[in-house]
């Protein structure tokens, strides 16, 4: 029985490569015998509308050509549905694809879509919002907020590193109270990362032990440390070796409450998720996603 597939693409993703990649992938899928319809997003939030329409049409697979931000837009529609998500990871950051070993070369990615099978993974949830990779609070979230608002001259990992250097001089560490399956923690923090997958920010290995199929978050808590300590720990994020630093601890939980004296921003999948106080829960096996063939 022929399946119904829809491919949605952010035409400006990946520095403008989104349209070309989407058209090339659509042609390759059609040449392989798979009927697929290409639809473009035209504005922020449009991906959610297209995904809801696809679910209403009982689409078997919704393929997203873009990065984690575009994927984040379709999650509210796909969570708990029968429509499986397929990835063409050609955005600025592709951390969900990294976590699931989905190829980032177009021919291999198309092969994965054709031969791979849907498997369930967990999502993070805040009210009616979902995220697939990492939610960040503190230092990192403030950098993400500035990048999302166009206050950083470069995008991706380069922009993140530049803004990290600048932000260390002005950052004021919040005192935070965290509650979860681990109990309660209250202290000043550099940042707290609520990780469903290993990486974010275009490959920074914030939580090397995170598994999006185990029903738990890895909570990475970094103590408030001096500026030069931040800059010495930063390079270790690329390999996950920061976990061994004495200022870093990891807890595991299915839910977490974040409380602060003043509101502080929380980001997830590179987008604004909300402000503290915030309750974040794991939503087990909420999303069917096409994984590479074994």
């Amino acid at each position: 029985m022929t399946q119904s597939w829809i491919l949605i693409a952010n035409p400006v993703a990946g520095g403008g490569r989104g349209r070309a990649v989407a058209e090339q992938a659509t042609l390759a899928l059609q040449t392989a015998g798979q009927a697929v319809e290409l639809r473009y997003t035209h504005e922020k939030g449009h991906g959610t509308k297209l995904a809801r329409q696809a679910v209403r049409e009982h689409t078997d697979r919704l393929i997203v050509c873009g990065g984690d931000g575009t994927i984040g837009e379709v999650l509210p529609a796909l969570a708990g549905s029968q429509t499986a998500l397929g990835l063409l990871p050609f955005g600025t950051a592709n951390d969900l694809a990294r976590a699931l070993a989905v190829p980032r070369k177009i021919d291999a990615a198309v092969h994965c879509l054709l031969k791979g099978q849907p498997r369930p993974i967990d999502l993070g949830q805040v009210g009616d919002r979902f995220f697939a990779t990492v939610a960040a609070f503190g230092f990192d979230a403030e950098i993400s907020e500035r990048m999302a608002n166009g206050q950083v001259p470069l995008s991706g990992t380069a922009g993140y590193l530049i803004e990290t250097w600048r932000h260390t001089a002005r950052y004021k560490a919040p005192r935070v109270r965290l509650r979860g399956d681990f109990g309660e923690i209250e202290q000043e923090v550099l940042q707290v990362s609520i990780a469903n997958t290993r990486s974010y920010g275009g490959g920074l290995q914030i939580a090397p032990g995170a598994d999006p199929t185990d029903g738990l978050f890895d909570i990475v808590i970094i103590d408030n440390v001096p500026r030069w300590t931040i800059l010495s720990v930063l390079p270790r994020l690329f390999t996950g070796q920061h976990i061994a630093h004495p200022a870093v601890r990891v807890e595991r939980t299915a839910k977490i409450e974040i409380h602060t004296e003043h509101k502080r921003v929380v980001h997830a999948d590179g987008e604004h998720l909300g402000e503290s106080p915030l309750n974040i829960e794991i939503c087990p096996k909420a999303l069917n996603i096409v994984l590479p063939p074994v």
Side-chain angles (χ1 to χ4, degrees):
M1 179 176 175
T2 303
Q3 287 195 328
S4 169
W5 290 13
I6 292 174
L7 192 159
I8 70 171
N10 177 357
V12 299
R17 291 182 60 219
R19 182 181 295 274
V21 170
E23 291 174 354
Q24 184 179 345
T26 299
L27 180 59
L29 290 168
Q30 292 171 341
T31 301
Q34 174 58 53
V36 58
E37 180 183 349
L38 175 58
R39 301 175 182 176
Y40 288 112
T41 59
H42 299 301
E43 59 188 1
K44 190 175 181 64
H46 192 202
T48 305
K49 297 177 182 178
L50 293 178
R52 293 195 191 283
Q53 182 179 347
V55 172
R56 287 196 300 270
E57 294 171 358
H58 304 288
T59 302
D60 294 294
R61 291 190 187 180
L62 180 70
I63 302 164
V64 171
C65 181
D68 294 323
T70 308
I71 293 168
E73 289 194 2
V74 308
L75 295 181
L78 297 188
S81 79
Q82 296 300 309
T83 300
L85 174 64
L87 301 181
L88 285 170
F90 295 95
T92 302
N94 305 287
D95 289 296
L96 182 59
R98 283 186 178 87
L100 302 176
V102 174
R104 284 173 285 149
K105 292 186 177 180
I106 188 165
D107 291 344
V110 167
H111 176 77
C112 176
L113 292 172
L114 291 168
K115 300 299 183 182
Q117 293 298 317
R119 296 287 186 271
I121 67 167
D122 308 330
L123 294 176
Q125 182 173 9
V126 177
D128 60 355
R129 299 281 304 277
F130 293 88
F131 65 91
T133 60
V134 179
F137 162 82
F139 183 84
D140 196 87
E142 293 183 13
I143 292 175
S144 295
E145 183 85 345
R146 293 179 62 81
M147 292 182 71
N149 292 337
Q151 296 171 281
V152 180
L154 296 174
S155 62
T157 303
Y160 176 88
L161 294 174
I162 290 171
E163 188 58 21
T164 295
W165 171 261
R166 294 165 55 182
H167 200 56
T168 52
R170 58 176 175 253
Y171 181 70
K172 293 184 178 2
R175 188 166 188 84
V176 63
R177 186 170 71 254
L178 306 173
R179 290 179 182 157
D181 299 336
F182 49 79
E184 183 171 304
I185 298 170
E186 184 170 357
Q187 65 175 80
E188 288 188 352
V189 297
L190 176 70
Q191 74 175 58
V192 178
S193 298
I194 300 95
N196 187 44
T197 61
R198 296 187 302 273
S199 71
Y200 69 155
L204 300 174
Q205 300 291 313
I206 188 67
D211 179 352
T213 67
D214 65 0
L216 294 170
F217 293 122
D218 277 28
I219 311 296
V220 182
I221 304 164
I222 304 180
D223 298 342
N224 184 25
V225 293
R227 181 184 190 191
W228 292 108
T229 303
I230 298 173
L231 298 175
S232 68
V233 170
L234 180 64
R236 305 183 192 185
L237 287 174
F238 289 98
T239 60
Q241 294 178 343
H242 64 288
I243 296 298
H245 193 280
V248 180
R249 64 187 289 183
V250 180
E251 303 287 351
R252 310 193 76 215
T253 182
K255 59 186 177 182
I256 185 169
E257 300 175 17
I258 301 174
H259 297 271
T260 55
E261 183 178 359
H262 304 290
K263 289 185 176 181
R264 302 294 284 256
V265 66
V266 179
H267 261 239
D269 292 345
E271 302 290 335
H272 184 94
L273 181 65
E275 294 178 331
S276 59
L278 209 61
N279 295 340
I280 304 177
E281 298 182 351
I282 201 82
C283 195
K285 304 186 185 305
L287 178 70
N288 287 315
I289 189 165
V290 180
L291 300 182
V294 177

